[in-house]
Amino acid sequence: MVRDDEKIKELRDAFKAAAKEQHEKVKGLHKQLKDASDEDKDGLREQLKGLRTEWVEGMKGNREEVRARLKEIREEFKNCLLYTSDAADE
């Protein structure tokens, strides 16, 4: 039920796209870091830290959206069960 939910699929796809983009950015900075001067390395390390911070904050938002949708699904399912249970009692 949850895997087939459109909103969950959208969130999962958005997460995959963001992870791929993040990976490419980090990979690019690591390449630059390898050949950089000592002065440039400090700046690149700061950029890597900034990317990590942005990633963590972005993923917090993603988790909150997933949790909210799961809560909605639980409520929908609970209401279905209540309705089915009431119908069976009659």
Side-chain angles (χ1 to χ4, degrees):
M1 182 173 189
V2 173
R3 284 187 207 141
D4 297 333
D5 185 73
E6 286 301 316
K7 181 65 176 174
I8 296 291
K9 284 181 182 179
E10 288 174 18
L11 291 169
R12 188 178 341 136
D13 291 344
F15 172 81
K16 286 179 183 179
K20 185 175 181 177
E21 181 181 337
Q22 175 75 4
H23 178 72
E24 292 300 320
K25 287 179 182 178
V26 170
K27 191 170 143 182
L29 286 174
H30 276 286
K31 272 186 181 179
Q32 291 177 31
L33 191 60
K34 196 173 11 174
D35 300 327
S37 67
D38 289 339
E39 291 176 7
D40 293 338
K41 285 182 180 182
D42 289 337
L44 291 169
R45 286 186 186 112
E46 288 301 316
Q47 287 180 34
L48 283 167
K49 286 179 187 177
L51 281 175
R52 170 128 173 81
T53 301
E54 288 175 21
W55 175 255
V56 168
E57 291 303 313
M59 290 305 96
K60 283 180 185 177
N62 184 277
R63 278 193 306 272
E64 289 171 8
E65 287 184 61
V66 169
R67 283 186 189 125
R69 181 61 189 138
L70 290 173
K71 186 176 180 180
E72 291 170 5
I73 291 171
R74 278 191 215 105
E75 285 299 313
E76 290 171 15
F77 190 67
K78 180 180 169 183
N79 291 337
C80 263
L81 288 176
L82 288 174
Y83 178 75
T84 304
S85 176
D86 289 345
D89 289 343
E90 292 177 2

